[in-house]
Amino acid sequence: MPTGHVTRHPANWLPAMRGTMIRLVPAMLAWEIVQLPLYTLWRDGTAWELTFAVLHCTAGDALIALAALSWALVIVGAPQWPERAFGRVLAATVVIGLAYTVYSEWLNVEIRRSWAYAGAMPVLPILGTGVGPLLQWALLPPLALAGARRALRDRAGKP
């Protein structure tokens, strides 16, 4: 068994995940509220139904984000993440989140008819997926991940 020097890196992945989720969940909540007019529920739903939808969708977003980030870390992460492999993990998180969103929107709009887009929702040709949910997953996770990494660096006194 080798007895050479082993370099240890601080375990920053857990604070980075926590920091990401602490930033991401409130942003997802705000996004869900802002995009409500893009769904027919805005016009047809009661105050209770709107509240439930926002809370339910935000909780789902949080679970999807945690799963997407976890899978990204398993697939392309490095033990020193977020110092190393940050870009790969960010890209994989976004791709996983977007892929699930396309699937979920298709399943819930087209198959289950759990919700419907209002005329104001722009949709992608061919896929028919709403642009609002896609922008949510393309913009918010990168911002939350970058914010969490920046906070870790600031705390450590690094540039």
Side-chain angles (χ1 to χ4, degrees):
M1 193 150 157
T3 57
H5 177 71
V6 175
T7 303
R8 299 221 183 257
H9 296 278
N12 282 335
W13 65 269
L14 185 56
M17 285 186 79
R18 284 181 182 146
T20 298
M21 296 306 292
I22 285 168
R23 287 162 176 79
L24 189 55
V25 173
M28 292 288 194
L29 173 63
W31 192 282
E32 291 296 342
I33 292 167
V34 169
Q35 77 173 354
L36 266 175
L38 301 176
Y39 292 88
T40 58
L41 183 66
W42 176 252
R43 183 187 67 235
D44 303 334
T46 65
W48 167 248
E49 289 169 330
L50 294 171
T51 302
F52 178 81
V54 165
L55 295 176
H56 176 266
C57 292
T58 301
D61 291 340
L63 292 173
I64 296 162
L66 187 57
L69 177 54
S70 297
W71 276 109
L73 285 166
V74 167
I75 295 167
V76 298
Q80 303 84 10
W81 184 82
E83 289 84 16
R84 299 224 174 116
F86 181 79
R88 288 194 318 248
V89 170
L90 187 150
T93 300
V94 170
V95 167
I96 293 166
L98 285 172
Y100 183 81
T101 298
V102 169
Y103 166 74
S104 178
E105 293 291 313
W106 167 79
L107 180 66
N108 287 292
V109 172
E110 300 296 328
I111 304 302
R112 292 183 179 159
R113 302 202 185 281
S114 302
W115 61 75
Y117 298 141
M121 173 72 84
V123 295
L124 291 181
I126 300 171
L127 292 177
T129 305
V131 172
L134 293 175
L135 283 175
Q136 176 182 7
W137 285 95
L139 297 175
L140 298 185
L143 291 172
L145 280 159
R149 182 172 72 162
R150 189 176 322 104
L152 281 174
R153 286 181 172 173
D154 290 349
R155 204 170 313 140
K158 295 178 182 176

